[in-house]
Amino acid sequence: MKFRWEKKYLYWGVTALLVIIGGISFYYLLFHGGSFRSNLLALLDIAAPIIDGIVLAYLMWPILHFIEQRLLYPVRDALIRRFPGLASSKRRLTRVCRGVGILITLVFVTFLIYGFFQVVIPQIIASVSSIIRQLPEYFRNLTNWLDMILSSNPDLEKAAGDMVTTYSGSFYDWLNNTLIPQMNTLLRTVSVSMINLAKFLWDLVIGLIISIYLLASKERFLSQAKKMVYALLDTNRANALTDNARLIDRTFGGFISGKLLDSFLIGVIAFISVSLLGFPYPMLLSFIIGVTNIIPFFGPFIGAVPCALLILMVNPMQALYFVIFIFVLQQFDGNILGPRILGNSTGLTGFWVIFSITLFSGLMGVAGMILGVPVFAVFYTLVRRKINGNLKRKGMPVETEAYTDLMKVDRKTGRLIPFAEGEEGRGHWRQKINHTLSAGEKESAVSVGSKESMPSAEKEGKPSAGRTPSAGSKQSMPPAGQKESALPAGSKERKAGKGPSAKPDTELGKQRGKLPEGQPGGPEKRR
């Protein structure tokens, strides 16, 4: 007997296997999350040189691409036009251009690093040394300024004295019982940090070598990746995956390169402004402002805190002017310089920027504050693409503004049905409909509902205009099996003789339903 392989059973088996693997993984993460985290960190530590190489290659690629497109490839094309025999060696010339471009890129990056350490670092060291030397004088100036303020405000002086008396004992206890006994631990931590710094520099050197190989064979690696994707996945999913990879590259590349350039320009502007305004330690202040500006939204304010405290010890009034200057600089960067450089590379509003920074800073620390915005921007764009694709398949608009006044969507036609113009809620809409019905549409609804109880003469469109039926007159018999309607409002009064005895047919037909059997004006009882 030949065995028949059913594909649906294979799908069921694979699904069951994946469910089991997912359940085991969830259990392991839930009850053994600490060991999983330690193993993951150990794996990342082993792969640190490779990760450094990928990051360095990604950061240096825009510089290499610019050098190739603007300098090397035009020279190659000019040589081919001058010497047509070199056309057969175009691929070899391209490889030579890539090698020369990598060399120029490394020289350029090395020059930037050397210039930074040669120009900026010595001034920063001099500023820090000056601060340490003059620290007692700064404390004395700050104390004199506080004494002057407290002497002119007795209530504030009393409150400050009580606060110092309350917390001074706790401070001395913390200093003697916590900080000083932990000095050995602090020294051990410093020594471990120095060892980690040496290891980081060694990983960085290895990563630099790896980045050279990645830059030299960039096109080959990308071709291999595409080949593997299209071999393992169907065409639609492979196209979607490559499209999403390009999206990630555009988002990360545009944000990181643009933010680095923006922070460099803000640092230069801060150095010029601080020097002209006469603030102390201009190089140190501008360096802190430029570095912290890499962090979106919160960066300028984070950098302003240590700078303002530093100026506060020198001149308290200048600290206030510096805070105002930082606020103006942040507004200039956020509204003029930043949009010109970054454009709309992330596509996020201010709320989502704050949300992403807050979330990823809690997960990844400082790195999360820098990378949280582009990571969340990629996630946001992918979700938006999925939602817009589903809406297009349903034949519905993708513009968000189209759903502002939406009440519901017609299930048959797919048309968007909005609320009444100027209304914002379902209850308001219902009141509007009820008001319209009571004014006009209710009239037609009642007349349609009472059509069955109208006399045959009225059904045929032959009412006697102006006729006033008497109380005892009998109407024509309705067809057999017809439903009886309830007595309308006001009919009881006419029955009891309290209301008007007669009305024109046109007005009476609007309000009258079918009268109960046996009543005056109603149908006769059947025998």
Side-chain angles (χ1 to χ4, degrees):
M1 180 179 177
K2 187 177 179 180
F3 178 75
R4 294 182 59 188
W5 184 268
E6 294 288 345
K7 188 176 289 187
K8 63 178 182 179
Y9 297 129
L10 175 63
Y11 290 156
W12 293 352
V14 172
T15 303
L17 179 62
L18 292 177
V19 170
I20 294 173
I21 293 175
I24 295 174
S25 301
F26 178 75
Y27 173 82
Y28 184 79
L29 289 175
L30 187 63
F31 294 100
H32 303 279
S35 59
F36 176 78
R37 180 182 175 85
S38 61
N39 294 332
L40 180 61
L41 292 177
L43 180 62
L44 292 177
D45 186 59
I46 294 171
I50 302 175
I51 297 174
D52 292 342
I54 295 173
V55 172
L56 289 175
Y58 190 79
L59 293 177
M60 289 191 295
W61 167 246
I63 303 174
L64 175 60
H65 182 71
F66 178 83
I67 293 173
E68 287 180 344
Q69 297 294 328
R70 298 301 179 91
L71 179 62
L72 299 178
Y73 288 165
V75 173
R76 178 201 63 184
D77 297 338
L79 287 175
I80 292 176
R81 286 194 301 268
R82 179 65 182 238
F83 305 100
L86 295 176
S88 60
S89 304
K90 185 176 180 180
R91 182 174 297 180
R92 183 180 300 176
L93 289 176
T94 303
R95 288 199 297 267
V96 172
C97 291
R98 175 58 56 86
V100 175
I102 292 174
L103 181 61
I104 296 175
T105 302
L106 291 176
V107 171
F108 179 74
V109 172
T110 304
F111 177 77
L112 286 180
I113 297 174
Y114 174 78
F116 174 78
F117 281 98
Q118 185 68 23
V119 177
V120 178
I121 296 299
Q123 295 196 31
I124 293 176
I125 293 175
S127 300
V128 174
S129 301
S130 176
I131 292 172
I132 294 174
R133 272 196 319 270
Q134 301 181 16
L135 193 61
E137 182 67 23
Y138 293 156
F139 275 119
R140 191 158 42 250
N141 294 337
L142 184 61
T143 303
N144 295 334
W145 181 69
L146 290 175
D147 289 340
M148 181 182 65
I149 293 178
L150 293 177
S151 61
S152 59
N153 297 278
D155 296 335
L156 184 61
E157 182 180 9
K158 183 177 181 303
D162 295 341
M163 186 179 298
V164 170
T165 304
T166 303
Y167 293 102
S168 59
S170 301
F171 175 74
Y172 283 117
D173 290 340
W174 174 81
L175 188 64
N176 295 324
N177 300 329
T178 304
L179 182 61
I180 295 178
Q182 291 183 354
M183 290 301 294
N184 293 330
T185 306
L186 180 62
L187 293 176
R188 187 164 54 250
T189 303
V190 171
S191 62
V192 171
S193 301
M194 296 300 295
I195 296 174
N196 291 334
L197 178 61
K199 184 178 181 303
F200 171 75
L201 294 176
W202 176 248
D203 292 341
L204 197 62
V205 171
I206 300 177
L208 182 62
I209 298 173
I210 294 175
S211 67
I212 295 174
Y213 282 98
L214 291 175
L215 291 174
S217 304
K218 170 183 172 289
E219 288 78 9
R220 183 174 181 81
F221 286 126
L222 290 179
S223 301
Q224 290 175 347
K226 293 177 185 177
K227 180 180 177 181
M228 182 171 58
V229 167
Y230 281 97
L232 298 178
L233 302 177
D234 60 89
T235 305
N236 292 333
R237 298 196 179 199
N239 289 335
L241 183 59
T242 54
D243 191 27
N244 293 334
R246 294 189 188 98
L247 168 69
I248 295 172
D249 175 59
R250 286 196 304 269
T251 304
F252 269 89
F255 179 81
I256 293 175
S257 59
K259 200 62 182 175
L260 290 176
L261 179 59
D262 176 67
S263 300
F264 173 75
L265 294 178
I266 287 296
V268 173
I269 295 173
F271 176 75
I272 297 173
S273 303
V274 167
S275 301
L276 293 177
L277 293 174
F279 293 121
Y281 312 114
M283 181 58 72
L284 179 61
L285 298 181
S286 59
F287 175 75
I288 295 174
I289 292 171
V291 170
T292 55
N293 192 70
I294 298 177
I295 302 173
F297 194 82
F298 295 109
F301 302 105
I302 294 174
V305 172
C307 295
L309 292 176
L310 182 62
I311 299 175
L312 181 66
M313 294 188 297
V314 180
N315 191 333
M317 288 305 299
Q318 280 192 333
L320 177 61
Y321 299 150
F322 178 79
V323 171
I324 298 174
F325 163 72
I326 287 294
F327 179 76
V328 174
L329 183 64
Q330 193 271 340
Q331 293 298 315
F332 169 75
D333 181 35
N335 298 314
I336 299 177
L337 184 62
R340 291 292 181 89
I341 296 176
L342 296 173
N344 196 22
S345 59
T346 60
L348 298 179
T349 60
F351 169 77
W352 291 118
V353 170
I354 298 175
F355 175 83
S356 59
I357 293 174
T358 305
L359 176 64
F360 284 92
S361 63
L363 296 175
M364 303 169 58
V366 179
M369 299 182 72
I370 299 173
L371 300 177
V373 173
V375 170
F376 189 81
V378 171
F379 173 76
Y380 181 86
T381 306
L382 294 178
V383 173
R384 183 176 59 189
R385 281 188 176 186
K386 181 66 175 176
I387 292 174
N388 291 345
N390 292 343
L391 290 175
K392 288 180 179 179
R393 281 193 293 271
K394 295 179 179 179
M396 299 173 64
V398 298
E399 294 80 9
T400 307
E401 293 77 10
Y403 299 87
T404 302
D405 297 325
L406 176 66
M407 182 185 70
K408 64 178 181 179
V409 177
D410 193 291
R411 297 180 61 182
K412 296 181 179 179
T413 63
R415 186 175 65 87
L416 274 64
I417 303 176
F419 286 107
E421 186 174 357
E423 312 297 342
E424 297 180 359
R426 183 185 295 270
H428 222 123
W429 174 78
R430 283 181 175 173
Q431 293 177 7
K432 180 72 175 178
I433 295 298
N434 292 336
H435 176 71
T436 305
L437 282 174
S438 61
E441 296 179 14
K442 192 172 182 182
E443 175 182 328
S444 60
V446 172
S447 64
V448 170
S450 60
K451 223 176 195 184
E452 301 172 354
S453 61
M454 294 173 61
S456 59
E458 292 180 359
K459 284 184 181 181
E460 295 173 1
K462 301 177 181 178
S464 55
R467 181 175 58 88
T468 55
S470 61
S473 63
K474 294 183 180 180
Q475 307 295 332
S476 59
M477 180 70 65
Q482 182 178 359
K483 270 184 147 183
E484 298 179 0
S485 59
L487 188 65
S491 298
K492 292 182 179 180
E493 295 179 359
R494 289 195 302 274
K495 174 186 172 183
K498 298 178 182 179
S501 60
K503 284 187 179 181
D505 288 348
T506 55
E507 185 177 356
L508 189 61
K510 296 178 183 177
Q511 299 179 1
R512 185 179 62 194
K514 183 180 177 182
L515 295 176
E517 295 179 351
Q519 297 294 334
E524 298 179 354
K525 290 185 179 181
R526 297 182 182 177
R527 295 180 180 178

